[in-house]
Each structure stands twice: as structure tokens, then as C-alpha cells.
Amino acid sequence: MSTGHPPPLSATARTSLGRKRDRGRTDRAELHAVLDEGRVCHLGVVVDGAPRVLPTAYGRDGDTLYLHGSSGASSLLAAPTGEICVTVTHLDALVLARSANNHSMNYRSAMIYGVPRRVTDDAEKLHGLRAVVEHITPGRWDVIRAPNRKELASTAVLALSLDEASVKMRGGQVVDEPEDYALDVWAGLVPVHQTYGVPVPDPALRPGLPVPGHILATFPTG
Amino acid sequence: MSTGHPPPLSATARTSLGRKRDRGRTDRAELHAVLDEGRVCHLGVVVDGAPRVLPTAYGRDGDTLYLHGSSGASSLLAAPTGEICVTVTHLDALVLARSANNHSMNYRSAMIYGVPRRVTDDAEKLHGLRAVVEHITPGRWDVIRAPNRKELASTAVLALSLDEASVKMRGGQVVDEPEDYALDVWAGLVPVHQTYGVPVPDPALRPGLPVPGHILATFPTG
């Protein structure tokens, strides 16, 4: 039965929280929101049995995440073998408690698991790269030079379904042990923000090119 | 021969950059700087052959990184099997080029590889937890209630050597293809900053407790 709502997030063994279940979210819209606000994900792969975690860009189209990289032999994206994990994290506050044990952080994070599909069709590769560039700055793709044939050939694009994903969040204030509230220790939050500065033009910019509206719309500097 | 300088970073197959070698750094002080500025790392582990990437806190003491977590059965830190990878990333700017292909990000990242040592000695566990709390906010450990015996027993502490690590950075402006500089496309950087807001006291705070100096020193809100 379709309700017009997107399906809830899957519950698999690894997306079901073993601890602190109250921090889990099962709403697909919350997954999208965490992904859309991020700029960098951390991509986990297994190489020779050991994990590697790489910061990289990404884009989203519906319930597909796109990743890209060099198609060169040394790229980890060139020959994905098996599963990957993509994590996007926003740090919202440091949680400074009265006891060491209750120190924490407020955050929102999304973890996506799956075996990515290597995109080979040029049209879908362009579609995926468009998603990545538009994720960095919405509106950008239509004003820049698109990849040419050679650039496209040298770029690997991976598509990862958002089918298996989890979202975790911690919000709110310090939670201390009952007996610790009597201590003369300051407790509270230190908010953490990610902000964007005034755009810095390339010194080689052609004269008379103002910062375009699509950049100002996403990164207001007023 | 000791020169009084810390040893340079190791060069193993996975810490030697296959591509974009100019982005690599081999100075141990740069590794420490990237780690010390971060608050959250992304911990990569392998579970049933698949990668998992978790945001978590950490601390550093010299060339040892400390991680902590629940010692409960469902914690990934409870029974580390084999290697882990810890990555810390700072996003410094979005790099908006004239061509899709030259879009990039300015960043600094550190990746550490190794098999962590499970800390079992209570004194070293406290030492590791102190490193984690002091990393969140320097000066905090000495004003808060230290873990009691029960809290210490329920906490797993891992020590990871910084012996095998790499640092990567991209800085500077857009680099476009020679023929693209003639395009009427704005290009440049959008700086990205992580900032800290005014501390928010716990509403349950005892009256008359001001924000202490160790917090104001690290997070100036003026």
C-alpha cells in the first residue's frame, strides 16, 4: 500500500542499534536531511582485510548516493570489491558534564551500507557527476563546463543505494548522575557550527565577473 | 642518531600516495596538528568482512591515540579484531572551478592504521580517558568527577600507535585547464569554518557558577 510517504529506513542487524536506541531515527526524510547538509562523507572500504576510511565528496539523487574518483589503477574506487560504508557526520555541540563519564557530543550522523554499482553508462556517469557537483553548490552544474569525453573516461562513478542505512542523533543537554548535580562543576553545551565565509575569487578570474547568484543563495555572506 | 626532532611519518604501501603526491605530508608535527584541531574522528573497523565507519571521540598523548566506548557486548570497541583505521578531516574550502572536473575541496586529513591495544590496566585506562576528555576541552579533567570503579569497568579503552599514518592536504586556489580560463565562469573558493558558539549552561546548573576559564580559553565567544 502506498501512502505517499517514502518507506522507513531498513532494520538490519547492523542498522539496528545495540545501544542507546533512543538515538536512532527511522525516518527516511531525516536520512536525506543529514546527507544533504553535509559536504564530505567518510568512505570505508576493506583492502587486504583491513579497513580504510577516506574523506570524499558525494551527491544524492533520490535514494541513490553517488561517489566519484579517479579511474586510475591506484584509486580505491577503481575496483570496488564488495561492501562499502559511507558515513556523514555533523557535530552540533560538545556536551560538558559534571562527570568524565557523561561527557558526550551532540551530533547527527548517517551510515549507509551496501555494495556499490560501478556506473559504466556515460549518460548516468554524467548524471552522477552532476549530483556530486550540485551537492557541493546547487545551481553550479548549469554554469560550468561539463566533463568532456576524456575527463569522463578518467573518472570512476559509483552508485550506492540508500536501502540499508541508519541515522543516529544526540541532542539536548547534559545528562549527569543524580548525585553529581550537587557538585560545584559548570556543565552545559558548547555549540559547534559549520559556517561558510565570503567567496574568494580566483586571481585569474576574468575581470567583471561578480559572485553569481547560485553561490550567494547557498552561502549568504551578508 | 637522535636529532631532537620526532621521526618522520612512516612510508608503507598504504600511506604512500598513489596519486596527487603533492598533497602528502611527512612531518609528524603536521599529523599532530590535524589530530589536535579535530573533535570527531571516523573509526573504520571490519565486521564480518564488511567495513563500518563510526564517528567517535578521541584523545592523543604523544604518539598514542586513545579511543573509548562501552565495554558491552554490542560495542564495536569491546572486542577489536585486527586492524582499524582512524581518519580525522578538516574541510577548509569548497573549490569551485570553471569545469566540473576541477571542482575540489581544500582539506587537511590524517589517516592512522594499526591494530589497537585494548587497555586493561586501570591507571592507563584513566590516562586514556583523561586524554579523550582533555581533547574535547583542555583543562576539563581536573575540575570534573573522575570515573569511579563501576564506570571504569564499563568503559573500553583502546590505544592506537601513530606509527603508521599519513597526512593529506589540499590548499590554494582553483586549478583549471588552460583553455578554460577564457570562460565567463566565476571560479574561486568558498571558505568553510568550524566555529564554537556561546556556551549554554545546563538549566539544572547550581546558581552562581560562571562559565569557567578553561572553557572560555578554548572557545572564546567575544
Side-chain angles (χ1 to χ4, degrees), chain A residues 73-148:
Chain A
S74 69
S75 167
L76 291 173
L77 294 186
T81 54
E83 295 204 65
I84 66 174
C85 175
V86 173
T87 299
V88 173
T89 304
H90 305 287
L91 177 60
D92 291 326
L94 311 178
V95 179
L96 306 181
R98 295 162 182 84
S99 65
N101 201 54
N102 284 315
H103 274 64
S104 186
M105 302 201 194
N106 283 347
Y107 66 95
R108 293 159 291 143
S109 74
M111 296 171 61
I112 304 143
Y113 302 95
V115 177
R117 176 173 56 86
R118 174 77 178 264
V119 177
T120 53
D121 175 71
D122 272 0
E124 192 189 354
K125 280 178 84 167
L126 281 171
H127 182 78
L129 293 172
R130 179 189 180 110
V132 172
V133 168
E134 287 284 299
H135 191 89
I136 296 173
T137 303
R140 187 109 192 110
W141 184 265
D142 288 338
V143 305
I144 59 178
R145 178 175 67 71
N148 59 34

Side-chain angles (χ1 to χ4, degrees), chain A residues 2 11 50 123 152 171 196 204:
Chain A
S2 171
L152 209 54
Y196 297 95

Side-chain angles (χ1 to χ4, degrees), chain A residues 1-11 26-32 63 162-163 165:
Chain A
M1 185 183 79
S2 171
T3 62
H5 293 289
L9 298 181
S10 62
T26 56
D27 185 342
R28 189 159 288 275
E30 290 191 278
L31 171 66
H32 293 172
D63 280 314
L162 299 185
D163 278 354

Side-chain angles (χ1 to χ4, degrees), chain A residues 14 42 52-53 87 89 97-98 100 103 105 140 145 173 180 182 184 186-187 189 191 193 195 197 200-202 206, chain B residues 14 42 52-53 87 89 97-98 100 103 140 145 173 180 182 184 186-187 189 191 193 195 197 200-202 206:
Chain A
R14 57 190 174 185
H42 281 82
R52 293 196 192 184
V53 178
T87 299
T89 304
R98 295 162 182 84
H103 274 64
M105 302 201 194
R140 187 109 192 110
R145 178 175 67 71
Q173 262 288 356
D180 288 335
D184 276 334
W186 188 93
L189 308 176
H193 306 289
T195 60
V200 181
D202 180 356
R206 297 192 70 182
Chain B
R14 57 190 173 185
H42 281 82
R52 293 196 192 183
V53 178
T87 299
T89 304
R98 296 162 182 83
H103 275 63
R140 187 109 192 110
R145 178 176 67 72
Q173 263 288 355
D180 289 334
D184 276 333
W186 188 91
L189 307 177
H193 305 289
T195 60
V200 181
D202 182 355
R206 297 191 71 181

Side-chain angles (χ1 to χ4, degrees), chain B residues 150-167:
Chain B
K150 186 181 161 192
E151 290 169 340
L152 208 54
S154 70
T155 306
V157 177
L158 298 183
L160 179 66
S161 161
L162 298 185
D163 279 355
E164 188 177 357
S166 65
V167 177

